[in-house]
């Protein structure tokens, strides 16, 4: 029979060996995040720096945690488990104190592995200030000629959810693969700009996203140059954005980068996990492939052809107003692969009715027939109308600068100043009509078109989100109170 003490020692060794297998492949950055999760779970209640805390020591403050100036052994001594007080307290069960749940053997093994690997740094909070400070520092040290090609992605919102089964290593690899499938060549490694490997910089030149050219088609028929780029296609679809906050780091980012290089939206970074899922959309994937000139053939894309993706207006998910922090949300009001935006009051309630020439409601038409479109609103609103044909070409119908629908009245749209409806062309397929409506008057959008293709990619873009002179100042127009409503028809012979 094995003596009890020897049995317990063997059991403990087995537990640690099993735990070691779970983190042996982790990078120092992942070990640090893993250790932070454990410290947050077991220690933050007493050591979070709040007024009611039982201790002034903040264990999620890496500087305090590794401070050697207190006259005693540091709580954590990098690469020295034996002199790290935190390990002794956890092993003897005095931390956490009292009847609180003790740190498990596997978790203690992770803390030890993190210390042995050098106790890699982690931030106290993975918040917006953390992300902006790292991006500002990266831009500040960059050469001016390189900054215009830099763009940023983030997973920094995920570490505090790591205890819920989120595998950050897999998230990074999935993001790297998604970039590879949308770039001119495989992305072999991500460029992290923080010690935790949660913030990443990409270079448009390396991805091939800097080569596409777009032009602005003005209302006089002239083609004007535009800074709109491949990355801007993503910005129009992004549902998690806010206007930059009035902080020193955000102001520096604005001056060094946002203002000079004129992104279509002043978005500082995109969530990398959003991007990974977004490029699963066949239409967006096809757009990126076409803008690469077909360079991605055989690497996961549908080969670019002479047609764009089919218009599937009836499958588009609605745009949601996502509550984030305290800043002004950037609504993806001009997204191509999202549908209606119908916010709660005080935004108006809009209804669209499509009929045939005789006034009968219909969604199916034949080439050469006429269709009528009627709009009803519970408030008096200004209206803008665009029409997208089966190949993705956009037509902005000129309704006049003061076209309005009066409250509780149904108004028929006059196409080209006539009341007999819109004459449909010979093109067959799905078409959609998008209404933008707001109580306040707003500037019309711009029609942008890619150059150098048989069938260009087009986008209709409103300039609602230009940076104010001072960050934090209100916008001239509030798009979150605008309504975007879609109606569709099918033209078939």
């Amino acid at each position: 029979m094995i003596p009890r003490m020897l049995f317990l020692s063997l059991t403990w060794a087995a537990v640690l060996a099993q735990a070691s297998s779970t983190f042996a492949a982790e990078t120092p950055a992942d070990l640090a995040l893993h250790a932070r999760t454990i410290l947050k779970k077991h220690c933050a209640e007493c050591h979070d720096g709040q007024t009611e805390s039982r201790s002034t020591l903040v264990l999620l403050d890496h500087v305090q945690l590794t401070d050697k100036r207190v006259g005693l052994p540091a709580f954590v001594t990098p690469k020295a488990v034996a002199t790290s007080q935190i390990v002794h307290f956890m092993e003897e069960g005095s931390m956490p104190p009292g009847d609180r749940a003790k740190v498990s053997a596997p978790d203690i093994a992770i803390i030890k592995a993190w210390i042995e690997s050098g106790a890699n740094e982690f931030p106290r909070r993975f918040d917006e200030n953390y992300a902006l400070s790292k991006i500002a520092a990266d831009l500040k040290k960059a050469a001016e000629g390189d900054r215009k090609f830099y763009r940023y992605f983030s997973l920094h919102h995920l570490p505090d959810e790591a205890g819920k089964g989120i595998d950050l290593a897999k998230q990074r690899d999935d993001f790297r693969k998604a970039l590879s499938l949308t770039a001119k060549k495989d992305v072999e490694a991500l460029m992290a700009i923080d010690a935790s490997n949660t913030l990443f910089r990409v270079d448009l030149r390396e991805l091939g996203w800097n080569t596409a050219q777009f032009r602005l088609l003005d209302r006089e028929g002239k083609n004007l140059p535009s800074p709109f780029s491949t990355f801007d296609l993503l910005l129009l679809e992004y549902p998690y954005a806010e206007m930059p906050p009035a902080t020193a780091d955000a102001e520096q980012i604005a001056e060094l980068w946002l203002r000079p290089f004129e992104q279509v939206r002043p978005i500082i970074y995109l969530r990398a996990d959003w991007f990974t899922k977004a490029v699963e959309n066949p239409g967006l994937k096809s757009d990126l492939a076409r803008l690469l000139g077909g360079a991605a053939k055989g690497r996961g894309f549908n080969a670019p052809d002479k047609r764009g993706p089919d218009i599937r207006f009836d499958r588009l998910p609605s745009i949601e107003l996502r509550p984030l922090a305290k800043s002004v949300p950037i609504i993806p009001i001009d997204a191509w692969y999202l549908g209606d935006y119908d916010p709660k009051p005080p935004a108006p309630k809009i209804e669209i009715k499509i009929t045939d020439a005789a006034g009968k409601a219909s969604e199916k038409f034949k080439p050469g027939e006429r269709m009528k479109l009627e709009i009803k609103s519970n408030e008096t609103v200004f209206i803008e109308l665009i029409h997208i044909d089966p190949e993705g070409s956009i037509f902005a119908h000129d309704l006049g600068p003061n076209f309005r629908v009066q409250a509780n009245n149904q108004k028929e749209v006059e196409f080209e100043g006539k009341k007999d409806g819109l004459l449909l062309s010979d093109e067959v397929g799905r078409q959609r009509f998008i209404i933008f409506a707001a109580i306040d008057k707003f500037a019309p959008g711009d029609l942008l078109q890619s150059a150098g293709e048989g069938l260009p990619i087009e986008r209709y873009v409103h300039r609602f989100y230009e940076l104010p002179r001072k960050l934090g100042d209100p916008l001239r127009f509030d798009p979150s109170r605008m309504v975007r409503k879609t109606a569709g028809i099918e033209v078939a012979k």
Side-chain angles (χ1 to χ4, degrees):
M1 180 178 292
I2 301 175
R4 176 176 172 78
M5 291 305 296
L6 178 57
F7 174 78
L8 292 175
S9 297
L10 292 174
T11 301
W12 179 260
V15 168
L16 293 185
Q18 183 179 3
S20 297
S21 67
T22 66
F23 57 72
E26 289 190 356
T27 65
D30 284 327
L31 272 175
L33 293 178
H34 209 158
R36 180 184 180 273
T37 299
I38 296 167
L39 294 176
K40 184 176 181 181
K41 176 182 177 181
H42 291 282
C43 308
E45 182 180 354
C46 298
H47 298 279
D48 65 356
Q50 302 299 319
T51 305
E52 64 274 12
S53 297
R54 297 171 175 81
S55 172
T56 58
L57 176 65
V58 181
L59 283 188
L60 292 186
D61 185 327
H62 191 269
V63 174
Q64 286 194 46
L65 191 62
T66 57
D67 192 356
K68 299 179 181 179
R69 298 172 299 170
V70 294
L72 294 170
F75 256 65
V76 169
T77 303
K79 298 186 177 181
V81 172
T83 59
S84 296
Q85 287 192 86
I86 196 168
V87 175
H88 301 307
F89 291 152
M90 287 180 174
E91 287 183 332
E92 70 183 17
S94 62
M95 182 175 177
D99 59 357
R100 291 175 174 81
K102 305 306 177 184
V103 184
S104 68
D107 282 354
I108 292 175
I110 289 168
I111 295 293
K112 285 183 174 182
W114 166 60
I115 294 172
E116 288 173 349
S117 70
N120 203 60
E121 178 187 357
F122 54 71
R124 180 176 174 182
R125 295 187 181 91
F126 280 101
D127 56 11
E128 192 71 357
N129 289 333
Y130 172 74
L132 297 186
S133 67
K134 296 300 182 183
I135 293 173
D138 190 65
L139 288 168
K140 189 175 181 180
K141 67 184 181 183
E144 186 174 355
D146 291 330
R147 284 188 200 127
K148 68 180 295 185
F149 300 107
Y150 286 175
R151 299 295 185 270
Y152 294 91
F153 290 87
S154 173
L155 292 172
H156 85 280
H157 55 288
L158 294 182
D160 284 334
E161 301 177 22
K164 301 177 183 178
I166 293 174
D167 186 341
L168 280 169
K170 184 178 185 304
Q171 292 279 355
R172 294 189 197 100
D173 197 49
D174 287 347
F175 171 52
R176 181 190 62 78
K177 291 175 181 176
L179 281 177
S180 294
L181 287 176
T182 54
K184 65 181 180 181
K185 62 180 180 180
D186 286 334
V187 176
E188 296 182 359
L190 299 175
M191 176 59 68
I193 63 169
D194 68 327
S196 298
N197 288 2
T198 63
L199 292 160
F200 310 98
R201 181 214 312 142
V202 300
D203 190 316
L204 300 183
R205 295 166 294 189
E206 294 175 1
L207 298 177
W209 289 2
N210 64 314
T211 57
Q213 300 293 320
F214 279 81
R215 57 200 175 197
L216 187 153
L217 307 181
D218 72 2
R219 285 166 174 75
E220 297 178 358
K222 297 178 182 177
N223 294 340
L224 305 175
S226 170
F228 192 86
S229 71
T230 300
F231 189 78
D232 287 322
L233 289 178
L234 300 175
L235 296 181
L236 291 179
E237 304 293 324
Y238 189 59
Y240 295 100
E242 297 178 326
M243 291 294 290
T247 67
D249 285 328
E251 188 59 58
Q252 188 171 58
I253 292 170
E255 292 306 311
L256 290 175
W257 185 58
L258 289 177
R259 296 185 198 279
F261 304 129
E262 300 182 61
Q263 288 187 157
V264 71
R265 297 287 186 259
I267 298 174
I268 295 174
Y269 63 85
L270 301 181
R271 291 188 179 193
D273 52 334
W274 170 84
F275 172 80
T276 300
K277 293 179 179 179
V279 295
E280 293 176 358
N281 182 304
L284 182 58
K285 189 184 292 187
S286 175
D287 289 342
L288 295 172
R290 291 164 62 194
L291 292 173
L292 280 172
K297 281 185 179 180
R299 297 182 55 250
F301 282 102
N302 298 323
D305 56 22
K306 296 181 180 180
R307 282 181 55 90
D310 290 338
I311 300 300
R312 298 178 180 176
F313 64 86
D314 52 339
R315 299 183 184 180
L316 296 179
S318 296
I319 297 169
E320 297 179 13
L321 179 59
R322 302 188 184 264
L324 297 177
K326 298 179 181 179
S327 189
V328 177
I330 296 179
I331 309 298
I333 200 77
D334 296 318
W336 190 259
Y337 297 106
L338 293 172
D340 291 347
Y341 177 59
D342 195 8
K344 297 178 181 179
K349 185 72 175 177
I350 304 297
E351 297 177 15
I352 303 175
K353 181 180 179 182
I354 292 180
T355 71
D356 59 19
K360 182 180 179 181
S362 179
E363 293 182 358
K364 296 184 180 295
F365 294 85
K366 293 182 178 180
E369 289 187 334
R370 289 189 178 271
M371 58 146 282
K372 294 185 177 182
L373 189 148
E374 298 175 350
I375 305 169
K376 185 176 181 180
S377 172
N378 65 337
E379 301 276 357
T380 298
V381 291
F382 291 90
I383 293 290
E384 184 181 23
L385 170 64
I386 65 172
H387 171 204
I388 303 173
D389 74 7
E391 292 189 337
S393 296
I394 300 172
F395 303 90
H397 291 282
D398 186 5
L399 305 180
N402 296 307
F403 184 85
R404 282 180 289 185
V405 174
Q406 299 296 325
N408 300 315
N409 287 334
Q410 191 157 306
K411 184 166 184 176
E412 180 181 334
V413 173
E414 296 182 6
F415 293 97
E416 298 179 351
K418 300 178 181 179
K419 293 185 177 182
D420 52 356
L422 176 66
L423 180 63
L424 297 172
S425 69
D426 292 336
E427 288 182 308
V428 297
R430 310 286 275 183
Q431 304 189 30
R432 54 179 159 156
F433 297 84
I434 299 178
I435 298 287
F436 299 94
I439 296 172
D440 298 323
K441 190 174 181 180
F442 57 93
D446 294 328
L447 180 56
L448 298 169
Q449 185 183 85
S450 61
E453 299 184 52
L455 182 66
I457 292 170
E458 296 186 351
R459 291 295 186 268
Y460 195 74
V461 178
H462 292 90
R463 302 291 177 174
F464 294 146
Y465 293 103
E466 293 182 354
L467 283 176
R469 290 186 178 181
K470 181 180 178 182
L471 295 185
D473 286 350
L475 298 174
R476 297 179 181 177
F477 175 80
D478 182 3
S480 68
R481 297 178 62 178
M482 167 178 274
V483 173
R484 166 177 156 164
K485 200 77 171 179
T486 304
I489 64 171
E490 183 170 358
V491 179
K493 294 182 179 180

